[in-house]
Each structure stands twice: as C-alpha cells, then as structure tokens.
Amino acid sequence: MHAGVRTGIHTGLRWKLSAAIALVGALIAVALSLVVHNAARVSMLDNARDLADERVLVAQRNYDLSGRVNFPNAQIDDPELPAELRRKVADGRRATYVTDRPDGVTDIWAAVPLKDGHVLSLHTAFTDRSSDILKDLDQALVIGSIAVVFGGSALGVLVGGHLSGRLRRAAAAANRVAKGETEVRVRDALGGVVRDETDDLASAVDAMADALRQRLEAERRVTADIAHELRTPVTGLLTAAELLPPGRPTELVLDRAKAMRTLVEDVLEVARLDGASERAELQDIMLGQFVTRRVAAKDPGVEVRVVHESEVTTDPRRLERVLFNLLANAARHGRPPVEVTVEGRVIRVRDHGPGFPEDLLAEGPSRFRTGSRDRAGHGHGLGLTIAAGQARVLGARLTFRNVRPAGAPEQVPAEGAVAVLWLPEHAPTSTGSYPVLPLPGR
C-alpha cells in the first residue's frame, strides 16, 4: 500500500443522513415517551388521591353520624398506616399518601383525624383500569416511536439520496473536465429547478475549470509561439554548422543543433496536440503488415510477432509516430531485446529494462519528465507525451505497465516495461469525436 493512502469504511451520504435522522428521532421519541408516561401516571395518581380524599371524608361523616365504620376499606387506627401519613394526621389534618409495594403495586392511602382522637383511614390499590390505561398508552408510545424512527429514516434516505445523486453527478462531470472534456459544465450536469449549495459548488468548479483552461491555453500559445520563433534561427544554425570544415568540433555542433531542432519540432507538435484541433487522415491498412514493415525499416533488430492480423481504419502517419516513439523510448530507457506484438487491433511494445517509473504508471506521460533514475538516460521527455497525444487523435488508448513475476509484490524489481496501444473498432469521425474504447484484456 502506498504511503499517504487513507483507508476506512466508505458509506454513502444518504445512509449517513438517514442514520443521523433516525438517531435524533429515536432520542426525541424516547424522551417524549418518558415525559408523556410520567405525566399520565402523575395525573392518574392525583385523580386517585382526590377520589380517596373525597371517600375518606364521606366515611368520616358516616362515622360521626352512626358511631361506627360502615364504609368499604375504611378502618380505625390501621396498624399498616404509613408513618409519614400518621404524622400529618396527628397534626389535625386530613391527608393522602401514595406507596409502592415491592411487587410493583401502587397503594393509595387517605386518613382523617376523628373527634375521639382515633384515626380513620382508607386504603385502596391503584385501579386495574388505570394500569391498563397506562399499558395501552405505553404501547401506543412505543408504536409511535418506531413509526417516527422508520419515517425519519425513510425521509433521510430520500433527502440524502437526492443530495447524494446531485453530488455524484457533479463529481462525474468534474472528472470529465479533469480528463480534458472542455465543453462539460458541472452546473448543467446537476439539472433540477431548485438551487442549493451544490449548485454554488458546481458554479465554483466551473469557474475554476474555465480559469485553468484559459491559463493552459495561454501557456500553450506562448510555448507554440516561442518554438515557432526558434525554428528559423535553429534551422539557420544547423545550415551554418553543416558548412563548417570536417572535424570533431563540427560533429559536436551538428549533433547539438540537430537535437535542438528535434526539441523545437517536438514542442510544436505537443502544442498542436494540446490544442485539440488535430484530425486524423484515415486509411484502411493491414495492421500486422504495416507494423512489420515500419519496424523493419526503423530497427531491423526488433522482433515483430503478428499473432492475429486485422484490417483497421486509422491514420498511418500518426500511427507510425506513436510506434516509433514507443520504440525510441524502449531503446533509450529499457534493455534489449525489444519485442513488438500485434494481436488484432492491439500493439504491444516490450523491453526488458527496469520498468516504467511509478509516477508515469499512476499519472500517465508528462512532458519534460524522462522517468526515474533507473530509466533516466538522455532526452527531453516528450516522446511518450507525443505518443499519448497522437493516440488520442486516433481515438485509441495508450496504457503502460511493468512486467513482474507472477504473484510478486510491487517491491520486486520489474523485468521489463510494456506499452500497449489499443486501436478502436471504429475510427474517429471527421469532427474528432472518439468511439467507445475496449477495455484491456490483460
């Protein structure tokens, strides 16, 4: 695993939002259920105590009139009378009291002092009907809480799904912009009528992409202008060097002048490819025969193997440019033998050197980068950049990988580098649009 790569559990925004709403809904439902349950129980207990107070008052009047206890559940000087209630009655007050038994049953007590000094008390249990009402209320609260949680979760999924979908469309459009599709607008990819923060983000990304595109275009024009202005004096320098008398100094001057001319021509070609105005001039060719002839003319020492011949419609000049640049890169940075394989519409160029640098495998060719120290060598680093640009004009795809023993980890040194050119099944149109490219088979 590369350093700096963060790992963790990846979850979608809709599920995070749904979980948050469900959690908040559950907490609110539990809190409200407890409050409602306690309020209902307190209210029922207050009603029961008021009823007990009225009944003990009636029992007192009956006792005063008849001189005996003739009211249900009423007693004189009940020994089980709670001590606290007894103290209140001793002060000459009528009072009520609530106690809870160990088995969970609630008792309602009411007591009143009599004229003869005794205490008349009334003892009743919390009615079954009240308990049933509380149970029904608790059941309704539980069902309501579950409904709130599931309803909140469903709402979170809907809202989160909508927001997540907009963000995913924005990310997909931003990736297309990053790959060079200059006409893509993130704001248009979002769609919709209602505007929110994602539209502001999309507008900011579009503005940044426009500014970056303008800056790159300006840099491309400056590079092309400089290279164009250098072409004339470099050509004159090369012509003048050819007029020098033969000798080692003349050879050195000619070599450097030719290298400078090659560099200027490459920079101009890269500038043209960056401008996205290049179009392929299409012809029908037999790919195996074409590659065999061109490689034999360029370097007879390179082995060409045609596994499966195929007729393709492409631009021979640009295809030759891609092929020669890949061969030059293999000869410069790799080690022999260099092998070229043609299989259908796929061309593979392999060397047996130390392999491509990791940054090239991860990011693709970059101008003025010659590779790692193992594949350093001479050159200005535009060969693979031009090859990738010409492949793009052809509607093809150019990929790079290193060859390692089967099952070997990445730390094991590579046994060679492979560049693979995937030609499309259908040639690019005259407008420069590209067909769907095939996925690599291996």
Side-chain angles (χ1 to χ4, degrees), residues 119-141:
V119 175
L120 176 64
S121 62
L122 190 66
H123 175 208
T124 58
F126 198 53
T127 62
D128 293 337
R129 184 173 180 273
S130 298
S131 300
D132 293 340
I133 292 175
L134 277 179
K135 290 180 181 179
D136 293 341
L137 177 62
D138 291 341
Q139 184 178 4
L141 290 174

Side-chain angles (χ1 to χ4, degrees), residues 92-173:
R93 295 181 297 169
R94 188 176 73 252
T96 59
Y97 192 73
V98 177
T99 60
D100 292 318
R101 299 180 193 174
D103 58 0
V105 177
T106 301
D107 290 330
I108 309 297
W109 293 84
V112 61
L114 299 175
K115 296 178 180 180
D116 55 8
H118 295 286
V119 175
L120 176 64
S121 62
L122 190 66
H123 175 208
T124 58
F126 198 53
T127 62
D128 293 337
R129 184 173 180 273
S130 298
S131 300
D132 293 340
I133 292 175
L134 277 179
K135 290 180 181 179
D136 293 341
L137 177 62
D138 291 341
Q139 184 178 4
L141 290 174
V142 170
I143 295 175
S145 300
I146 295 175
V148 168
V149 171
F150 278 99
S153 300
L155 178 62
V157 170
L158 292 177
V159 175
H162 176 70
L163 182 59
S164 177
R166 289 172 63 84
L167 291 176
R168 290 182 187 279
R169 289 194 297 272

Side-chain angles (χ1 to χ4, degrees), residues 53-63 70-71 120:
D53 185 64
E54 294 177 358
R55 295 178 67 187
V56 78
L57 183 59
V58 173
Q60 179 191 16
R61 292 173 180 172
N62 291 342
Y63 182 82
N70 58 1
F71 197 88
L120 176 64

Side-chain angles (χ1 to χ4, degrees), residues 139-336:
Q139 184 178 4
L141 290 174
V142 170
I143 295 175
S145 300
I146 295 175
V148 168
V149 171
F150 278 99
S153 300
L155 178 62
V157 170
L158 292 177
V159 175
H162 176 70
L163 182 59
S164 177
R166 289 172 63 84
L167 291 176
R168 290 182 187 279
R169 289 194 297 272
N175 286 331
R176 293 174 60 190
V177 172
K179 292 178 181 178
E181 299 185 29
T182 58
E183 302 302 321
V184 175
R185 289 294 180 270
V186 180
R187 176 65 187 85
D188 295 338
L190 289 180
V193 178
V194 180
R195 294 179 60 88
D196 54 22
E197 288 78 1
T198 54
D199 295 273
D200 298 334
L201 175 62
S203 299
V205 172
D206 288 338
M208 180 181 64
D210 290 338
L212 182 60
R213 183 164 48 251
Q214 293 174 3
R215 180 175 178 179
L216 292 176
E217 179 62 22
E219 292 179 356
R220 185 193 67 81
R221 287 198 300 267
V222 170
T223 302
D225 291 344
I226 292 175
H228 184 75
E229 293 297 328
L230 285 175
R231 174 186 279 178
T232 300
V234 168
T235 301
L237 177 62
L238 183 60
T239 302
E242 292 175 346
L243 299 177
L244 293 176
R248 181 60 179 167
T250 301
E251 293 178 1
L252 293 176
V253 171
L254 278 173
D255 179 69
R256 293 298 87 197
K258 290 178 180 179
M260 185 177 296
R261 182 179 63 181
T262 300
L263 174 60
V264 171
E265 295 297 334
D266 286 350
V267 171
L268 279 173
E269 186 172 359
V270 169
R272 288 194 300 268
L273 293 172
D274 286 347
S277 59
E278 295 287 289
R279 296 291 181 266
E281 298 178 3
L282 303 177
Q283 296 181 23
D284 294 332
I285 62 172
M286 301 303 295
L287 186 60
Q289 297 178 8
F290 177 85
V291 173
T292 301
R293 290 197 302 267
R294 293 299 189 272
V295 172
K298 179 70 174 178
D299 188 351
V302 175
E303 177 187 356
V304 179
R305 185 165 63 97
V306 180
V307 178
H308 174 64
E309 181 65 279
S310 176
E311 183 178 1
V312 298
T313 302
T314 188
D315 187 329
R317 180 183 65 83
R318 297 183 188 276
L319 179 59
E320 180 184 86
R321 178 65 161 155
V322 175
L323 181 61
F324 284 0
N325 278 21
L326 295 180
L327 290 174
N329 181 80
R332 181 179 298 119
H333 301 298
R335 284 195 292 267

